[in-house]
Every structure is written in structure tokens, then in C-alpha cells.
Amino acid sequence: AIKAQSSPDDGYVPDSKFYKVEAILRPWRIPQVSSALLKMGIRGVTVSDVRGFGAQGGSAERHGGSEFLEDKFVAEVKMEIVVSKDQVEAVIEMIIKEARTGEIGDGKIFLVPVSDVIRIRTGERGEKAERMTGGRYDMFSASSLP
Ligand code: ATP
Ligand code: GLN
């Protein structure tokens, strides 16, 4: 099985309290990925239907001109998950585990630092806004035990 390297090569990831894990995935893998995330206490997820091309969508078939691969875009799903720093690696590993087939076209994950999270209803910011009731933090914190 493939895992994400346990930590990135020194120093290129900007430090942040929160990160957005942005994954471009095969649409038919989404149910599996999202139920695995839910089981690990990830409750906030945004998905969008998108179209893209990458290794699977063929520069090989490009014929010089500017009529550029219009019909070569492949349907993908973009999944965006904002989590605290300490949850990033677990989320990335789970996405790889559940999304990977090993064939070209499995997709990519982008990691983006997030400066702040604001809950519109309450005006809360930072940790208070990022944490969700019954979320992963609750699952692992003593205060959530009976
Ligand atoms: P409340 O004000 O009680 O938090 P709400 O309905 O305003 O409730 P949520 O339902 O928690 O807020 O979130 C609204 C939408 O924001 C979700 O449907 C989801 O698309 C997105 N979202 C929330 N949290 C995250 C997150 N951590 N990562 C990615 N998307 C999120
Ligand atoms: N970090 C949040 C928590 O532990 C969960 C964030 C999310 O579900 N995307 O409650």
C-alpha cells in the first residue's frame, strides 16, 4: 500500500494552525472516501463537481494548435476539508487509502494553509470556529468521555 511520506521534506510547508486539504478525486470513489472521513470524526467537507485534465487526459493527443483538448476534460470531484494542523496527516492518509486504485487518474491532493475560520452564526473565530460538535477533536479529547 502507498502512504503519504510521513512528513514533507524540510521546511517547504508554511506553518499554520489550520490547513485546507483539497483533493481532486474520481467521482465514483467519493462515497467511500466521505464515509471513511465521517468515521474518523471529519464532519465538515465541501465537494464540487469539476472537470480537469492531467496525466490521464492526454498531452499525447494534442495536435499543436490552440483547439485545446476541449473534450478531453474528465469529470472529477473536488473535496475540500479544513482541519487543524494535527489532523492533516491522518486525513491525507485516509484519502489515499480510500481513493487509490493504482491506475493513472487517481487524482491529487493539495495542502493549503488557512489563516482563520469564522463561524458566521456566532462570530467565533479560530479553534472555536474550526471545531465541530462530535468531530475528531471531541472523539479524542478526555472531556468528551462519559
Ligand atoms: P453552524 O452555524 O451551527 O456551524 P452551519 O450550517 O452554518 O452551522 P456547517 O453546516 O457546519 O455550518 O457548515 C456549512 C457548510 O460549510 C458545510 O455544508 C460545508 O460545505 C462547509 N464546511 C463547514 N466546515 C467545513 C470544513 N471544516 N471544511 C470544509 N468545508 C466545511
Ligand atoms: N477539526 C475539527 C474537529 O476536530 C473537524 C474539522 C472537520 O470536520 N473538517 O472538530
Side-chain angles (χ1 to χ4, degrees):
I2 300 275
K3 280 184 55 173
Q5 290 167 251
S6 55
S7 64
D9 297 334
D10 311 73
Y12 69 82
V13 178
D15 193 39
S16 184
K17 286 179 85 160
F18 314 109
Y19 292 87
K20 178 166 70 172
V21 178
E22 183 174 310
I24 311 294
L25 303 172
R26 299 180 191 275
W28 60 274
R29 283 276 167 155
I30 294 302
Q32 199 175 322
V33 173
S34 52
S35 75
L37 291 173
L38 200 58
K39 276 185 203 133
M40 65 186 284
I42 298 303
R43 314 183 62 89
V45 176
T46 302
V47 296
S48 321
D49 291 313
V50 297
R51 280 146 50 80
F53 63 85
Q56 103 265 48
S59 47
E61 307 186 38
R62 176 186 192 173
H63 356 215
S66 55
E67 288 152 66
F68 193 71
L69 300 174
E70 184 99 41
D71 52 2
K72 290 291 177 190
F73 288 98
V74 173
E76 312 268 13
V77 169
K78 179 168 71 176
M79 184 175 264
E80 297 171 276
I81 307 150
V82 173
V83 293
S84 53
K85 180 184 189 172
D86 57 305
Q87 297 176 349
V88 166
E89 291 305 320
V91 167
I92 289 173
E93 276 185 26
M94 187 58 78
I95 292 172
I96 292 172
K97 178 165 175 275
E98 301 298 338
R100 189 181 118 88
T101 69
E103 302 295 317
I104 285 171
D106 277 349
K108 265 188 190 174
I109 299 171
F110 306 111
L111 184 57
V112 185
V114 168
S115 310
D116 206 356
V117 179
I118 296 125
R119 180 172 278 123
I120 293 171
R121 179 172 53 83
T122 58
E124 292 167 307
R125 299 182 73 136
E127 240 167 47
K128 281 187 176 162
E130 191 273 333
R131 283 193 191 152
M132 300 183 70
T133 310
R136 187 166 174 82
Y137 180 86
D138 277 358
M139 277 174 51
F140 288 103
S141 77
S143 62
S144 69
L145 295 175

